[in-house]
Amino acid sequence: MEKKSKPPFYVTTPIYYVNDVPHIGHAYTTIIADALSRFMKMSGREVFFLTGTDEHGQKVEKAAAEHGVDPKAWADRVVVRFFDLWKALDCEPDFFIRTTMDLHEKGVQKLFQILLDKGDIYKGEYKGWYCVSDENFLTEDIALEKDGTKICPDCGRKAQVVSEETYFFRLSAYQQKLLDHYASHPQFVRPQSRMNEVTSFVRGGLKDLSITRTTVKWGIPVPGDPAHSIYVWFDALHNYVTGIGYDRDPALFKKFWPASIHLIGKDILRFHAVFWPAFLMASDLPLPDCVFGHGWWLKDEAKMSKSKGNVLDPYVLIHAMGPDPLRYFLLREIPIGLDGNFSHEGFIHRVNSDLANDLGNLVSRALTMIRNYFAGTIPEPGPEEPADADVRKAFEETKDRAIAQYESYALNKALEEIWAFITAVNKYLADNAPWKLHKDPALHPRLARVLLTAAASLRGTAALVAPVLPGSAQKIWEYLGESGSVRDVRFDLLAFDSPGLGQAVRAPEPLFPRVDLKAFLAEETKPAKESAMDEQKPLTPEQPSAPQPPIPAPPVVPAAPAKPLVTYDEFAKMEFRVAHVIEAVKVEGAKKLLKLRIDLGTEQRQIVAGVAETYTPEQLLGKKFIVIANLQPAVIRGVESQGMLLAAVAGDKSAIPFFEADVPAGAKVK
Ligand SMILES: [Zn+2]
């Protein structure tokens, strides 16, 4: 009977902003994509997994200028952080797209031109709130202040209403078409709650979308009108087609487009579920099967964000244990549509209980017994008894159910199914007590049967967990004496019995050493390495133009321990205020110290600051900077200091960030 061939599978992550330091949120999306990609490959499907970086825009331009390099050179330097992290997490995209690549820029310009010719893009006037100091339009979602103005979120200054010439995308023309598509494709947006959100937003009416800026220089120029740059969303979203060969490799594009699943954080749902399908409809391209908005990882019930200081550095979690425990935890703990709370206790508990105890011990016990009792080669076994047949049956059922869960993107449930089987096999070994069978040579055929059943269970388990635990699954595979790679297993051919199984069993090493929570937390709170941004990193090689180039693989930076994480509550206890310097003198006999009298609005105080090697007292007089106002007073060289100023320190030099804007003394800084 001829088998129907399975459709190709195309999975994407959002392209991450290249200026960002990758954190657990980036890691989460990419790990989901990687696990799905590995699963679909093992299901016999042709797979394309795309990730990448968004490299245009003002923030990149600004950071580059601050470092005295051009924006592309800056992007080349910092993009390495993403290459490094994906390698460290065992994530293997088929292509890493960067929006500064020629193949992307050309594709975006071509699509822009098509829509312009069609009349879906037209020139008009954009009116919006603009920050003169940052040369940037504020996003529409920023609320009006009481006085009817808007405040720039980046610098805190008042914004002004400014109009500029811009190109619009005729989004308003697609309202009904989008609603029709949602109605006929109820799985287009998942989970269902997000679909409801999107539908009601579109029902509320769609305005045409400004998609170019004359104020942002670092972007893709509008074809024929280079004073305009194509704005972030029109540029970035099209990576999903340029990355798969749009207008460049028709065969590749035809094979994989439309995408099977766009994985996104729920904060960028509107762009992916409204703007993106409208762009595609306008260019007559088919729509993706599914936009899946995953939840956020929270820390202490708050969304992780840089401003809250509760961002988790993935390296801290993987440097001691490798990538598999983190991959397992993130995928096992919650369904991908919901928010999850990250706690170190929860993480370590999963590692110890599910990985070290359940799976790790099973591998170690079963294989050690095969080594000890039969020198690594299981002899001819006795007949299968009902208890053995039950394990075989449990495996077949587990396999079917786990595969069905993987296929519906319910990775946590797939893992639940597999772990129920692991528990059953542990119980089977306890019930059949091979260590007792071993004592009586007459029972050795029975012993061989029990250990063969255990080995077959482990072999099947290794294959089923391979999408989530690729490194550990391969180790189990090799310990069992299997040849080749577990990733080459095809699920439809995966049987419980395997000729040659248990004939060359190797001594296992502990897969998941138990982690002591106290020791882990202590390790985790050691000082962190400096941001990779400040390091001289190797530049990436010339950008490839072929569709599936290997990702440049710079050496993985050994993860350094981080500063202790503070909770948001701890952070909120600190009081930062604007200090105005009203007196400044040197501290006698201390060449580094200045004694400052500062005005905090409601009171005056004296502080001692170790900045005298960089600043003279005169240079500080009249200046405003940030102090931590509720630090316990300290006596420094006999002088009392009631607070501390904040400054960057490098060697003997220091640099105080002064306020340029006119802020009142004592104003809160948060
Ligand atoms: Zn501003």
Side-chain angles (χ1 to χ4, degrees), residues 242-256:
T242 60
I244 199 74
Y246 172 76
D247 199 38
R248 174 170 55 85
D249 186 340
L252 184 73
F253 187 66
K254 187 165 181 286
K255 181 187 282 176
F256 287 107

Side-chain angles (χ1 to χ4, degrees), residues 185-328:
H185 298 81
Q187 299 278 301
F188 177 66
V189 176
R190 290 174 68 182
Q192 182 63 41
S193 57
R194 306 263 174 261
M195 178 57 119
N196 301 343
E197 204 180 305
V198 166
T199 308
S200 79
F201 172 75
V202 174
R203 280 212 189 99
L206 295 176
K207 284 193 285 186
D208 289 352
L209 197 65
S210 162
I211 54 166
T212 64
R213 290 286 184 273
T214 52
T215 45
V216 180
K217 299 290 169 231
W218 179 236
I220 304 174
V222 167
D225 197 356
H228 292 261
S229 301
I230 297 174
Y231 195 52
V232 52
W233 287 107
F234 194 88
D235 169 355
L237 285 165
H238 282 101
N239 90 86
Y240 300 132
V241 294
T242 60
I244 199 74
Y246 172 76
D247 199 38
R248 174 170 55 85
D249 186 340
L252 184 73
F253 187 66
K254 187 165 181 286
K255 181 187 282 176
F256 287 107
W257 189 259
S260 314
I261 179 169
H262 290 314
L263 286 164
I264 59 162
K266 60 185 177 179
D267 50 334
I268 51 175
L269 180 67
R270 199 172 287 175
F271 303 102
H272 283 81
V274 182
F275 303 168
W276 178 228
F279 294 159
L280 289 167
M281 286 172 174
S283 348
D284 289 320
L285 291 171
L287 269 48
D289 295 345
C290 172
V291 173
F292 206 123
H294 65 69
W296 278 323
W297 279 96
L298 312 175
K299 184 91 175 70
D300 306 314
E301 307 298 336
K303 189 197 170 192
M304 291 185 207
S305 73
K306 242 191 275 178
S307 57
K308 286 190 187 128
N310 64 350
V311 177
L312 278 182
D313 178 354
Y315 282 112
V316 172
L317 300 168
I318 58 185
H319 88 274
M321 311 179 223
D324 282 359
L326 181 60
R327 290 174 64 107
Y328 177 78

Side-chain angles (χ1 to χ4, degrees), residues 130-136 138 151-158:
Y130 183 80
C131 172
V132 178
S133 148
D134 288 325
E135 300 176 14
N136 197 14
L138 275 53
I151 301 292
C152 169
D154 293 328
C155 70
R157 292 181 175 86
K158 260 189 192 171

